[in-house]
Structures are given as C-alpha cells and as structure tokens.
Amino acid sequence: MQTDPSQRREIGVFDSGVGGFTVLRELRTLLPTARLRYLADTAYAPYGNRSPEDIRARSFAISEHLIERGADLIVIACNTATAHAIEALRARWPDRLFVGTEPGIKPAVAASDNGRIGLLATPATAASARLRALIERHAGGHAVTVQGCAGVVDHIEAGDLDSAELQALVERYCAPLLAAGVDTALLGCTHFPLIEPLWRAALGPRVKLLRIETAVARRAADLWHSVPAASAALSVETSGSPERLQAWMAAVLGWREAAVEGWKPSGA
Ligand code: DGL
C-alpha cells in the first residue's frame, strides 16, 4: 500500500508485554514527530509458551484494535508474534503495512568468523517453521544453535532484570551456545536486550552479541517516510494492570510522560 502521507494517522506497536519497548524506544528516536500507540498484551504474556493458534488469535485481536484506533502501519515488536502471525495478518489486512521483528541471521553470518552462530529466543519462536525457513535461507552453511529460553520473559515482565535466579537461567541457556563454540549470538526476543548485561556476562567477551531492534525501527521509519506531523504523541495501553506497567516504564525506561490505559481484549 502506498499511503498518502497527508492521510497517515498512527503507528501501532505491539508485544506480549514490555519487550517491544526496546523497539518503541528506537522508533521514538527515529520518528520524533510520529503518533505512536503501544499495546502491551500483558494479560496474555508470555507468548513464548503459547500455541501458534493462540499467538495468532492475540495478534489478530490487537491488530484489529490498533487499526480501529487509526494505525496505518503496525510494528510487530515481538519475534514470537512475527514468527506465527505476520503472514496471516498481512493476508487479513492487505491495505496496511506490517513490519515484523526477526533475528538478523544475515548480519550474524557477516559478523561470525568461525561459522558458528547462536540464537536465543522464546520456545515458540525456536520451534517455528518461519525461523527454520529463515535459517535455511540466510545461514549459508553456518551452523546455527537455536536455544529456546523459557521463563526469562516472566522475570523481565515482573521488573526483575538482575536477580541471581534470572542470572542462573541465562547461564543455563547460554551453556549450549558455548558448548557449540559460537562466536556470535543473536537476541531473538525483544525482551532480551533489557537484560543484555546478563547475556554478555554469561557468554563472555569473545562472543559478539547482536540485537535487532534498531534495524526493525529503521525499516518502520523508512516505510513511514518523513511525515512532519506537529502532533507527536505516545499512547500506551495494556490488557494487564495499567498501574503496574506505568511503574515498570518509569523504573526501567525512565518514561513518566505517557499515561497507561487499560484495554479489554476481545473475548475476555
Ligand atoms: N517479546 C516477545 C518476543 O520478541 C515475546 C516474548 C514472550 O511473550 O514470550 O518474542
């Protein structure tokens, strides 16, 4: 769709919870005048333990809401929802633009010297056909060790970014990557950059750690073109507790200006 810039309204951004803030943070920097609406589907987080059908149903309900509120471009700031829903969303709304979040296999291949790459993702992303296809298409003979990381997102959602328990979990998930001798690791979940120091500590200084959110935000910004709207605004909604999300945003991101509203998911 080639949207007439004068008609453009909002960019909708969603994730199962707080992970997509890593993408939103980049988007706010790249598009300081855009109207942005963020939906945290907190009541249904984490997505990583859910079935593909569930993840698709959540992605549809959220996209419908964001489109009703005026989104012309939707950024799926969630690897798990991208893996299981982006094709269906594009088919359902062919007149909207959807930007997904996917691990950068190509940049990892370019960064690796020894041909061994590690990928840390949610269990649902790790098990997805889309990820398998992405690896087949882009890994070019490099060995990719994929590790599903159950439980990590729960800690981050709860505001725990550095407990000993979370550290132990991170070490456990990094162990197979180290055993495989990877020299490059990809964070394949938008929550994971929020605990980057833990991944770095567990992987050690010889492993390059790649994040993806800047590339996603750049892609969205390119599609949005430069619309010098005077009405920059940020709206944040959640299917969970607005107060808790507001407190999380203030504590972790230092964002205090956006009020968080409740959103009742359809069918709930
Ligand atoms: N932040 C999401 C992702 O990038 C989802 C994590 C989850 O809810 O399990 O995969």
Side-chain angles (χ1 to χ4, degrees):
M1 178 190 70
Q2 200 53 17
T3 316
D4 171 2
S6 64
Q7 300 290 307
R8 274 192 212 124
R9 296 161 298 171
E10 287 192 348
I11 301 178
V13 184
F14 78 89
D15 178 50
S16 62
V18 297
F21 283 135
T22 56
V23 176
L24 183 66
R25 187 162 54 186
E26 299 291 327
L27 262 178
R28 293 185 80 190
T29 307
L30 291 174
L31 294 174
T33 60
R35 290 182 74 83
L36 299 161
R37 177 177 303 275
Y38 184 87
L39 195 298
D41 199 15
T42 320
Y44 291 81
Y47 282 0
N49 307 333
R50 293 187 173 274
S51 68
E53 294 73 30
D54 253 20
I55 295 164
R56 263 194 296 279
R58 296 312 311 147
S59 302
F60 267 72
I62 293 165
S63 298
E64 189 155 45
H65 169 69
L66 293 173
I67 288 167
E68 269 168 18
R69 297 305 302 260
D72 289 314
L73 168 64
I74 293 184
V75 180
I76 309 171
C78 175
N79 293 72
T80 311
T82 303
H84 291 288
I86 192 166
E87 282 169 32
L89 291 172
R90 284 179 172 149
R92 166 70 183 79
W93 286 284
D95 59 337
R96 308 288 146 152
L97 295 163
F98 287 89
V99 174
T101 307
E102 292 187 300
I105 305 289
K106 273 200 257 179
V109 164
S112 173
D113 295 317
N114 71 1
R116 288 182 218 149
I117 295 164
L119 170 53
L120 299 151
T122 66
T125 299
S128 69
R130 195 175 165 94
L131 179 63
R132 267 198 307 281
L134 196 71
I135 292 172
E136 260 166 42
R137 214 167 43 243
H138 297 303
H142 284 46
V144 183
T145 303
V146 179
Q147 178 63 47
C149 306
V152 171
V153 165
D154 305 77
H155 283 268
I156 298 170
E157 284 291 320
D160 166 18
L161 306 183
D162 55 8
S163 69
E165 202 189 322
L166 177 58
Q167 209 171 318
L169 210 51
V170 163
E171 279 165 14
R172 196 170 98 211
Y173 292 137
C174 287
L177 273 61
L178 294 172
V182 310
D183 70 351
T184 305
L186 271 169
L187 297 181
C189 168
T190 53
H191 280 73
F192 292 178
L194 292 161
I195 55 161
E196 185 171 334
L198 300 195
W199 300 114
R200 281 199 187 282
L203 290 167
R206 277 199 294 275
V207 177
K208 284 172 239 169
L209 193 60
L210 306 186
R211 322 168 38 147
I212 187 70
E213 62 271 24
T214 309
V216 176
R218 260 198 217 119
R219 172 83 186 125
D222 285 350
L223 285 176
W224 196 246
H225 304 129
S226 48
V227 185
S231 52
L234 173 64
S235 312
V236 179
E237 295 174 294
T238 177
S239 57
S241 156
E243 294 75 24
R244 285 197 61 188
L245 185 61
Q246 185 111 44
W248 192 102
M249 285 164 65
V252 177
L253 304 170
W255 292 359
R256 292 182 174 77
E257 75 280 17
V260 180
E261 286 172 43
W263 172 64
K264 193 172 176 305
S266 62

